[in-house]
Structures are given as structure tokens and as C-alpha cells.
Amino acid sequence: MPQPSRQALAEKKKALIQRVLAAHTNKKGKNVSENPNEKVLAVETAAPSVLTADASDIAKERYGEAQVPIFREGEVGESGASPGLIQLVNAYLEVARTKERRILMLWPTAPQTLLPIHTLATLERWQSGDKKGIRGLTFPAKSNVFHPLNHLHFDREKILSLARELIEHSNQSNISVTRGMQDKDAYLMALASLKPGHEEQFNPTIGELLPRFYAGVEFRKWESCSGNLLENIAARLKRRVHKKALSANCDAIGDPKTAPDAMFAIDGRLSRDKLRAALVALEKNGRPDVVLVNATRHIRKGERSWLTEIARFCLLVEEVFTEDDRPGVLVITDEPHAAYRLREKLVELNSKRDREYKWKNSREYWISAVCNGVRGDGLLPPGVGTVATPVPREFKVETVDTEANRVINRLFRIASKIPGGKEVAQPVLDAAAYLSRLAALPCGVSTLVDWLSTTSTSDHARRVYSWATFHSALTAFEKSGDCGAVQRDIQECLKLGSTLYENYQNATPFALRLTSLVGHLAETKKQRIVIVYTSSIYRRLSEKFLTQYGEYPGAVQFAKFSDRVQFILSVQLEDFLPNIGDAKLIFAGLDDDGLRLLMMDNRIEKDTVILLTQRAGQYLKAVMRPLVDNFDAFKQLKPRMESILRQLQSLPDDKSILSFGDFVLPVFRTELMAESTNGSDASDPDACRIFLEGGQVIYRRPSHHVYVYDPASEHATERGFRTCEVQTLQVGDKLFFMSAELRELVESVLKEAGVPIEHDKNFESALRDYHQFISKRLQERFPGKTLTDQVRQLRESILEANPKLAKELPAALSVKHWVNLGESADTPFENLQPQAPMKKTHFVAFSQALGLSSLEAAYYWQRVIMPVRNARRLDGRHVSDLYAYMLLQPESAMLNGNIKSATIKLLFTKARDNVATVESIVFPSEAENNE
């Protein structure tokens, strides 16, 4: 049977629209505007009861009709939508059409950016003849919400073809257009006016083609975005007159009142009043068709009050927009308990509202599910057209740290009983969280302390890493009277926590089990193994611990089988899998990337080992059980999930685990704890203080070069970064900062590529001499004592001679680190640290207590400790400089640094995650005046 022509379909649509408009006019008893665009808009915004079945069919767009290729930055082939993304786009189109409110749960992962959903959906609207597309609103957002769109490109020729097909002439109607916008014609046709030689090599970014608007914490009104539209195209236009015309057309497209295909974003930090103001302003400027609410793990884990804030926002949308023009709402989440809790909260808040606002439909915010195995932007790699169905796999799951879990669970139960809620019980929750991080260490406390001795870690971070800090806070809380009837329970937990801390000095149960697995598989069975870590910091700590561990089977050293052991990060695993061969995988914990591949990838073989803490196992069990029991969408993953659940069956159920736990191992992160981050010492009088969104503070001198994310700048690299001096930074600039986690990742990449980063070899003999000298003096000063007693007496001697240091002298653990030098003679120099006090005043007091003369103390401070630290601080700057070089000259870095393109892509993705808005800058002169 022959298919009807596009013209015939268009005429049929037009006739259907006219019939609906006629019915709409009769029902309302008044005429609809003669403007044909407004006629269609009336149909789009009418209440569902007004629409006939035929009219509903008009707008039933589905993914796949537009066929506009999308290219990722730096890739030649086009990237198609993954099956999960296709379902998301269809749901978005459906919600925009029906105005319903839904919760969509994705698993085992969700895309890291949801904006491609809007992008692909509005393309389908274009294809159907709707030139105004879809106007969307997303919440909660940050200032970098639109960054991913700067690195995705539309196919220029296909966009032009679509634009030509829908072009509107003033003297003739276009029957292919169902909802017109003549201003859009000249705007899109600018893509056909490029200079000679640019036609074939340029595809516009999605970020410059689609209008986008952001309401930040200082929101006053929705500002025009015309200055950001077609940024890269303007430089390529043939004639000045074209540029002038382009600017005029951008004014119409960038106006929030008329912007087609627009995406509005509202910052999650807005106060309730400003949030309402932003929605009211949007209602006046033209409502969105759909509201996209992000309730994925990334949002939930970063915002303690996510549940209340998101639920209140959803209901606020219903209050601000009247029933006739209310947008649909699509909430995206990625775990069943989050979906259940959010709907329960919405139902609870709805029951308390005035009758006029209460729901009329019991199916509001009903929950459905999508099996999704693609993170990032939800697109497939170039050349990949399908996703293989996961085959059944039997995995080996092991859980450790039963004793720690008892204490941690007990602390969480205590916190739930304290009058005043979480705010009052914070010292209890902090202690429980610390012990959770401690139990997940793939090493011992002593290895962690060694790593903390590097100069890039602040004194504040060292305090936060110490149990003494949390013990002290919990003790003060226990004595304050705020703890009510659980005082004795807290006292017992304090003792148990201290016992755990002491027992974990050399190794945690997690670390010991990992060494057992490594020794058995790599040495006894002679297998090649690959250990997968969730954190680059923990990878480094684990590698150091495994290298120095001395109790492998047969008393062999790690060096004997080190060639059969490989360390990688979960974010690198997917690129590594094609070359895995017959290696055995050991997951040292799971995260989103690891879980996704474990569930979806057929290259993950049976008998893969998954090592978890008990709390991580409990959480994973609580997440998987309802997925298996209640959702058919995950039927294909059921065999893999059941394999894991069978081995977690004996773990006790804990109602609090979903509120306070996670399947991802908790890790220590210095960037979350430091008082200042990434750069020169905060005490540098010539440094500027740069305050970033999120509370981070960076110290840099005015002449220091930094990197700003500014893809529209003519000075920006292909990856979107430009360099500038601190003194030229402006409030609002998107500044790149290197987190501790990113630095560890970069350093491991550079080492693997053979890039040297140590420049302190000249000080080796002097540093070893210092260690021998301190060890000798310690034994002379406190002979015949255990190390613990020596440390205690040494610290007492320091405070006795220097009582003013009582509040600032580091705890006994740090003093122990200063003198615990027994293995320094056998430690390779690149792993050897000064192991001396960080501050000069502390070093002088320490030296005096050991009997060093003032001359000896000055010699070692100036000749050994500071030169080594400065050299290694320069190493850190060397890492930063090399990384910046990769940002600015990626091709040269890949060639000269021998770094794989996949790794470069990973680093750039992480770099864009490490961008924050500059909120204020205090220059040295201003600081002096304020003081």
C-alpha cells in the first residue's frame, strides 16, 4: 500500500487542527485569534478534555523521525541515542503533550546530563512542523548546567535541510508548518552563509544553536541570551551585512518571551521567595511545555534536604501556573527508594494544601522505570548502533568489616533517637560517617597518614582525617546534655570507635581481604588480575599498601608477582575491557561506573570478584530487591542481580541504610575538607583570595596564570578553555580548579605515560641523614620505652616547655608520624617524606624537646625539610602545568606524552566537572585595607 506524501499528511493535520479549533470556539463561546500561530497554540495549551482523539494524535511525536546526526567533540562519526535515552525522549515528548506529571526511574545508571533529552525532543517537534519546538525548564541546576551542550554538535547540512523545508514566506503559507515562527528562518539560514572553506568543516554546537536561560542565586529577571547564540558562527560569516542580520535575528530567538526550543534552568540554591519569583517571571514570559526535575544520585548526594526541596518545587509549579497552561512535569531519578520516597512526600504535602490546589487524579507522579546502561550524555559511541542484551553471570561477592558496621549502625540508631533531629545529632552522624570512611580504606591508618604528610594537604584536612577530631566533638556532645537518654550508648560507641581506630593502624579488614585475594590469585594461581578502584586517591593508597605488605603466601614480596597485577579506575574500565584478555577482575568497591558495567557489559566474565564493606552490601541489597520484585523493565538484568542478592541474603536489613548509606564506598576527599584549595599557601600576603560557588577558596598571586572555561572566546582552545592572569579575572568567570581527586588521576596518567614529576633527588642523602638523627635522639631522650610511650612523653615535654601551643599542637597521631622512622632506610626516595612538623614553630619546639640545639634545628629546617617540601610543591605545580598544557594543546599532549585519546577525553570531562563560577575576588591591597 503506497504511503501518503508529506504534503497530504500536512493537509490532513491542518484539517484536524481546524476542526479542533472550531470545537474550541463553540465551547468557549468566543472567537480565537485569527493569527494562525496562535490558533495552534490554543490547541497546544487547551485542557486535555477539550482535545479530541484525532487532535491528540497530531502531536504524538516519537524519537527517530528527525534523523539529525549529532557529533561529540573531537569525534568524526555521529553518535546515536542509546535505548535508554530514546525512552527518555519519548517520555519527555509525551509529558509535554499530555501535561501529566510522572516519576521516571532509571537503573543501573542515569545520564550525567539530562539536557540531550530536551535537545532530541525539540528536534522531533521541528520535524513535525512545529518551529517553536518545546520550551523546557530544569531544576535544580548549577551554573555549569549547559556546559555539556558546548561539546555536542548538530550536523549543519541536516539542520539547513530542515530549515529550508519549513521556511515561511510572507505571501505564501507553508502547509508543512504546524506552528510557525518566521524569525527562525533567517536565524537558521545563517548556517548557509559561511566563508569559503568553512562549509565542510564546521558543525554548530547545540549550546550556541538552542536558546538557554539560567536563574542563579542573584536572580532578578530572565535575561536575554542573544549574545550567546551562534557564537562560533559569527566569525565564519562571509559578509558584514550577514553578521548584522544575524545579530538582529538572535534578538528574537534569544528573548525569553519568544525563544523557541528554549531550556530554562533554575539554581537549586535559590530561596523559596526567589524560586517563586523565577517561576512567576517565566509564567509571564511564556510558560514551559515541560519541567524536567533532576533527582538523580548526583543531586541527592550533594543536597541533604533534596527530598523536601524537590517536592516543594514540584508543587510550587502547580501553584504558579494555572491549570489551563500548567506544564507537564517529568522527574528523573535512579533508585527505587528515591522514587518511592519522593512520591510519598508529594502525596503528603499535597494532602495539606488548600482544596483548589489538590490533585484531581490519583495517578499524579506515578512511577515507571527504564533500563539504562549509558552514562555521560546518553549517546552511543560512533559506529555503535545497538546495545547487546546482558547474558546471565554469576559473580563472587564478599563483604567485610562486621565489627565496624555494628558500631556505625549503632551510631545511626542513636542519632535517630536524639531530640531535635539531625541538626542536633550532627556530631553523632559525623562520627558514624568517619568510621564508615575508615572501614572502606584499602590500607591502614598509617598509610593514610603518610599520604597526608604531603604539603598539598591542609592542616584542617589533617584534623578532619583524625579520629581524635570526631572523638573530641562526640565527647563534648555527650557531656553537653543534648543527647538525652542515649548518653551511655554514646560513651560505649566512643570506646568501640577508638578500638577500631587502633586496630586499623596497620590495615583495615577491607585491605587485608584485598591482599589475600591478590596473593591467592596472582601468586598462588599465577593469574593476571586487574583491581578496579572507585577513587584515584584510594588506588594510590592501595598500591602503596600492597607493595609494602609483607605477609603474602610463601612470604614472597609483591615485586615477585607485580607484573601480574594491574591497577585501574572504574571510569577507565570500559576503555580497558577490549584488552582485558584472561585477566581476573576484582572490584575494590563499586560506584556508578562499576555497577553499570557489572550489570550491562558482557565482557565482565563470571566469577568476577566484588569486595564490599557490609554497609555497601546492605545498601545494594536494599536497592536490588525491589528492582527484581516490582519492575519488569529490569527483567534482562534479573539473573545478574539475583546472583548478587543470594550472596547478600544473610546481611541484616536496616531501615536507615537508604537514608545514611550508599553502595559506593565512602572516601576521604581533601577538597571537601580543606580551608583553602589548590594552590599557593593561604598565608601568602601577596595572594588573591578567589571565592567560588560552593564555598571553595583558591589563593593565587595576581600574576599567576589560571584557566577559564569560555568556549565562545576567540582565545579558547578547542576544548573550551582560555588562559588569563588572576588580576584580569572577572566575577562570573568559570574558573578551572584542580581537586585532589583529579590531581591524583592526572598524576597516575602522567606516570603511566613516562612523564617525570620528581625533582628532589638532590636532597635524598640529607633527608635520610635527618631521619637517622631524629631516630637516634628519640632513643637517647626516652630509652627503653615503647613507641606509644615515647610519643606521649615527647608531646608532654613539648607542651610543658611551650604551654602556648596547647590549642594548636597536632595530636599524638601526628607526633607519632614525626618520629616513626623505622622503615625510612628501606623506603624508595620517591615515597620518602620529611615526616616533620608542618609549621616552623612546631618544629622548633619538637627539636628542643629532643635535645637538638637551635643551630641543628635551623640547619635541618632550612637545609632538608623546606627544600624537599618546596621541590615537591614544585612537582605539584609541574603536574598542574602539564595538565594545563593538555587542556590547551591536546594534540601535542597526546603525541608527545604518549597518552591515549580515550584517557585525554576522560581528563577533559573531569576538567569540565572541576569548573566553578567566581563569586568574588579579594586582592592583596583590598585585604590590607579591610584589616
Side-chain angles (χ1 to χ4, degrees):
M1 181 177 181
Q3 296 294 318
S5 66
R6 181 179 178 88
Q7 181 176 352
L9 290 172
E11 291 175 348
K12 183 180 178 181
K13 285 183 179 180
K14 189 172 183 179
L16 287 170
I17 291 171
Q18 296 299 328
R19 288 204 301 272
V20 173
L21 286 173
H24 183 58
T25 301
N26 293 336
K27 187 175 182 70
K28 294 291 185 181
K30 58 182 180 181
N31 293 325
V32 180
S33 168
E34 292 302 317
N35 185 323
N37 293 334
E38 291 184 11
K39 287 181 180 180
V40 179
L41 185 61
V43 177
E44 295 274 329
T45 60
S49 59
V50 175
L51 293 175
T52 67
D54 287 339
S56 298
D57 290 338
I58 293 176
K60 280 190 175 179
E61 300 91 355
R62 303 285 288 177
Y63 173 83
E65 295 297 322
Q67 296 292 312
V68 176
I70 292 179
F71 301 87
R72 286 196 183 108
E73 178 183 75
E75 295 179 351
V76 177
E78 66 177 273
S79 294
S82 65
L85 181 57
I86 290 173
Q87 292 185 68
L88 284 168
V89 173
N90 288 335
Y92 191 84
L93 286 165
E94 181 78 4
V95 167
R97 182 180 67 86
T98 64
K99 311 307 176 190
E100 64 186 351
R101 296 180 279 273
R102 293 175 55 186
I103 297 174
L104 199 57
M105 185 195 67
L106 281 64
W107 200 82
T109 192
Q112 291 169 293
T113 173
L114 301 181
L115 295 187
I117 302 172
H118 172 81
T119 298
L120 296 174
T122 204
L123 284 177
E124 299 302 330
R125 279 284 183 94
W126 288 10
Q127 178 64 30
S128 70
D130 183 352
K131 293 174 70 174
K132 292 187 176 181
I134 293 179
R135 283 165 61 95
L137 167 65
T138 186
F139 174 89
K142 292 185 178 181
S143 60
N144 62 353
V145 63
F146 296 116
H147 289 182
L149 299 184
N150 296 327
H151 306 280
L152 294 174
H153 300 258
F154 280 140
D155 182 273
R156 187 177 69 93
E157 287 299 330
K158 183 63 178 177
I159 291 293
L160 279 172
S161 174
L162 191 56
R164 292 185 180 108
E165 190 173 343
L166 299 177
I167 201 164
E168 297 175 83
H169 299 287
S170 57
N171 59 352
Q172 182 181 359
S173 63
N174 185 337
I175 61 172
S176 296
V177 176
T178 58
R179 197 161 59 135
M181 185 176 189
Q182 200 164 8
D183 288 320
K184 195 172 183 178
D185 296 336
Y187 174 75
L188 292 179
M189 293 308 295
L191 295 173
S193 305
L194 303 185
K195 296 176 182 177
H198 284 271
E199 287 86 347
E200 299 302 324
Q201 60 185 351
F202 176 73
N203 286 314
T205 68
I206 296 175
E208 67 179 324
L209 205 59
L210 298 187
R212 68 237 191 245
F213 305 88
Y214 171 69
V217 290
E218 300 299 326
F219 174 81
R220 291 182 178 83
K221 67 176 182 176
W222 292 103
E223 303 281 354
S224 171
C225 70
S226 60
N228 298 324
L229 297 174
L230 303 183
E231 297 164 312
N232 298 313
I233 294 171
R236 294 172 167 84
L237 293 180
K238 292 178 182 178
R239 300 166 55 189
R240 185 175 300 176
V241 66
H242 289 157
K243 296 182 180 181
K244 190 173 182 180
L246 175 63
S247 176
N249 289 315
C250 285
D251 289 343
I253 303 299
D255 188 332
K257 294 181 180 179
T258 55
D261 322 304
M263 175 54 87
F264 296 81
I266 298 181
D267 196 304
R269 297 173 297 168
L270 261 66
S271 66
R272 184 168 176 78
D273 288 342
K274 284 196 173 182
L275 191 58
R276 177 181 285 276
L279 290 173
V280 169
L282 189 54
E283 195 272 339
K284 293 178 180 177
N285 280 318
R287 65 162 177 82
D289 299 295
V290 58
V291 178
L292 186 62
V293 179
N294 189 344
T296 60
R297 286 173 50 80
H298 175 71
I299 297 297
R300 300 198 311 273
K301 298 303 178 183
E303 178 54 59
R304 184 175 297 173
S305 58
W306 72 270
L307 182 63
T308 301
E309 294 301 322
I310 287 179
R312 284 178 176 171
F313 171 80
C314 290
L315 297 186
L316 186 59
V317 168
E318 298 178 23
E319 294 174 16
V320 170
F321 296 95
T322 61
E323 187 171 351
D324 288 341
D325 69 350
R326 187 175 294 155
V329 179
L330 183 62
V331 181
I332 305 296
T333 189
D334 49 6
E335 286 179 331
H337 66 276
Y340 294 151
R341 290 180 64 198
L342 181 56
R343 190 172 194 281
E344 288 170 1
K345 189 68 175 180
L346 285 163
V347 170
E348 174 196 333
L349 293 179
N350 178 67
S351 67
K352 299 176 181 178
R353 295 199 293 177
D354 294 339
R355 185 174 181 179
E356 63 177 303
Y357 291 119
K358 284 185 179 179
W359 300 335
K360 299 177 178 63
N361 186 347
S362 62
R363 283 177 59 83
E364 295 289 5
Y365 290 101
W366 55 281
I367 300 168
S368 56
V370 170
C371 182
N372 177 67
V374 179
R375 290 197 78 202
D377 50 27
L379 299 173
L380 296 172
V384 177
T386 58
V387 176
T389 301
V391 299
R393 288 280 190 266
E394 288 289 330
F395 303 124
K396 292 184 176 180
V397 185
E398 297 194 24
T399 58
V400 294
D401 81 341
T402 303
E403 293 301 321
N405 195 45
R406 288 198 187 104
V407 181
I408 295 164
N409 285 343
R410 189 173 179 182
L411 283 169
F412 281 126
R413 287 195 297 270
I414 290 170
S416 66
K417 298 177 182 177
I418 292 175
K422 293 181 181 179
E423 295 299 324
V424 176
Q426 197 58 49
V428 182
L429 295 174
D430 289 343
Y434 175 86
L435 292 176
S436 297
R437 293 192 294 270
L438 192 69
L441 274 177
C443 59
V445 174
S446 59
T447 306
L448 175 65
V449 171
D450 285 344
W451 178 72
L452 286 172
S453 65
T454 61
T455 55
S456 60
T457 308
S458 71
D459 289 337
H460 174 70
R462 290 187 185 87
R463 291 195 298 272
V464 176
Y465 275 62
S466 172
W467 168 241
T469 302
F470 297 91
H471 186 282
S472 176
L474 191 53
T475 299
F477 176 74
E478 174 259 325
K479 294 179 178 179
S480 67
D482 293 332
C483 59
V486 293
Q487 184 176 29
R488 179 170 294 180
D489 289 334
I490 292 178
Q491 291 172 349
E492 291 178 4
C493 285
L494 283 167
K495 294 178 182 178
L496 293 171
S498 297
T499 301
L500 285 173
Y501 188 75
E502 289 300 321
N503 291 342
Y504 290 175
Q505 288 299 305
N506 293 326
T508 63
F510 190 92
L512 290 174
R513 184 54 190 152
L514 185 57
T515 58
S516 177
L517 289 167
V518 170
H520 175 68
L521 294 172
E523 171 56 19
T524 305
K525 289 197 167 186
K526 310 299 182 186
Q527 282 187 286
R528 190 167 67 89
I529 62 173
V530 177
I531 311 175
V532 185
Y533 297 91
T534 61
S535 157
S536 53
I537 292 174
Y538 277 26
R539 168 188 164 171
R540 167 177 280 212
L541 292 173
S542 180
E543 185 174 358
K544 183 175 182 180
F545 176 76
L546 290 170
T547 301
Q548 297 176 349
Y549 188 69
E551 299 182 24
Y552 289 108
V556 300
Q557 297 297 310
F558 181 81
K560 184 179 178 182
F561 56 85
S562 60
D563 60 329
R564 294 194 291 274
V565 181
Q566 190 165 355
F567 307 88
I568 68 169
L569 296 174
S570 57
V571 294
Q572 300 171 305
L573 179 58
E574 190 165 16
D575 293 323
F576 178 83
L577 283 174
N579 303 313
I580 192 171
D582 61 352
K584 174 77 71 175
L585 278 176
I586 300 176
F587 283 89
L590 288 174
D591 61 4
D592 292 290
D593 286 296
L595 180 63
R596 171 178 64 89
L597 294 171
L598 199 65
M599 291 292 103
M600 302 293 295
D601 202 303
N602 290 331
R603 293 169 295 183
I604 304 291
E605 293 292 342
K606 65 177 183 179
D607 295 332
T608 289
V609 179
I610 308 164
L611 183 60
L612 302 171
T613 62
Q614 191 170 111
R615 284 187 65 77
Q618 287 177 295
Y619 189 96
L620 196 58
K621 175 186 174 183
V623 168
M624 285 186 172
R625 178 48 61 193
L627 296 176
V628 170
D629 293 344
N630 303 331
F631 293 95
D632 289 338
F634 309 111
K635 186 177 181 180
Q636 60 183 339
L637 306 182
K638 189 174 180 179
R640 297 192 181 202
M641 286 193 281
E642 288 181 332
S643 166
I644 293 173
L645 286 171
R646 280 193 296 271
Q647 297 170 80
L648 299 177
Q649 188 175 0
S650 62
L651 295 181
D653 295 325
D654 185 345
K655 293 182 179 179
S656 70
I657 196 71
L658 293 172
S659 298
F660 299 110
D662 201 346
F663 73 88
V664 179
L665 294 187
V667 298
F668 291 103
R669 287 193 174 99
T670 52
E671 65 267 26
L672 301 181
M673 307 169 186
E675 292 167 316
S676 63
T677 61
N678 190 30
S680 304
D681 192 347
S683 62
D684 185 350
D686 297 322
C688 302
R689 283 182 285 172
I690 307 169
F691 294 85
L692 306 177
E693 64 176 331
Q696 294 154 308
V697 184
I698 291 180
Y699 294 84
R700 289 288 192 273
R701 292 193 173 193
S703 59
H704 189 94
H705 281 80
V706 292
Y707 296 92
V708 174
Y709 181 75
D710 185 10
S713 170
E714 60 179 322
H715 303 295
T717 66
E718 182 183 346
R719 305 292 181 171
F721 290 89
R722 63 174 172 83
T723 183
C724 72
E725 292 185 346
V726 168
Q727 58 195 356
T728 65
L729 268 180
Q730 301 291 320
V731 171
D733 280 347
K734 314 296 183 185
L735 184 66
F736 165 73
F737 65 94
M738 187 175 287
S739 64
E741 182 74 18
L742 179 56
R743 178 189 162 124
E744 291 294 336
L745 175 59
V746 172
E747 189 167 305
S748 65
V749 167
L750 294 176
K751 284 184 176 180
E752 289 170 3
V755 179
I757 60 171
E758 283 115 14
H759 303 288
D760 51 9
K761 294 290 186 181
N762 294 335
F763 306 107
E764 179 171 4
S765 60
L767 182 55
R768 294 195 186 280
D769 177 67
Y770 166 74
H771 283 177
Q772 292 174 5
F773 187 79
I774 293 297
S775 297
K776 180 180 178 181
R777 284 303 178 93
L778 181 69
Q779 297 304 325
E780 292 175 352
R781 185 77 173 79
F782 308 105
K785 304 288 186 180
T786 64
L787 180 60
T788 301
D789 289 337
Q790 289 175 332
V791 168
R792 178 178 53 78
Q793 293 182 21
L794 174 58
R795 193 172 187 277
E796 290 174 355
S797 299
I798 293 173
L799 292 176
E800 184 178 347
N802 303 273
K804 293 183 179 180
L805 297 180
K807 292 185 178 181
E808 63 176 83
L809 187 69
L813 182 63
S814 295
V815 178
K816 180 180 179 181
H817 179 66
W818 300 342
V819 297
N820 189 14
L821 308 169
E823 297 180 359
S824 64
D826 299 320
T827 302
F829 181 65
E830 58 268 21
N831 296 327
L832 195 64
Q833 301 291 339
Q835 291 188 229
M838 295 300 299
K839 294 184 178 180
K840 185 177 180 179
T841 53
H842 296 169
F843 180 77
V844 170
F846 165 73
S847 301
Q848 290 174 347
L850 286 177
L852 275 70
S853 67
S854 58
L855 185 60
E856 288 172 325
Y859 169 81
Y860 281 119
W861 181 260
Q862 296 293 338
R863 172 69 181 87
V864 182
I865 297 166
M866 290 308 296
V868 172
R869 285 178 177 166
N870 287 334
R872 290 187 174 167
R873 184 180 292 114
L874 289 174
D875 285 341
R877 292 174 185 166
H878 186 51
V879 171
S880 298
D881 289 344
L882 281 172
Y883 188 54
Y885 168 74
M886 287 194 290
L887 289 174
L888 292 173
Q889 300 290 338
E891 296 83 3
S892 298
M894 284 189 282
L895 293 174
N896 299 333
N898 193 29
I899 298 171
K900 295 179 181 178
S901 59
T903 303
I904 290 290
K905 180 182 175 182
L906 169 64
L907 292 176
F908 279 123
T909 300
K910 294 293 183 183
R912 288 192 281 266
D913 289 340
N914 280 255
V915 169
T917 301
V918 176
E919 294 191 338
S920 64
I921 308 170
V922 178
F923 290 91
S925 57
E926 297 173 1
E928 290 176 6
N929 293 334
N930 291 336
E931 293 171 0

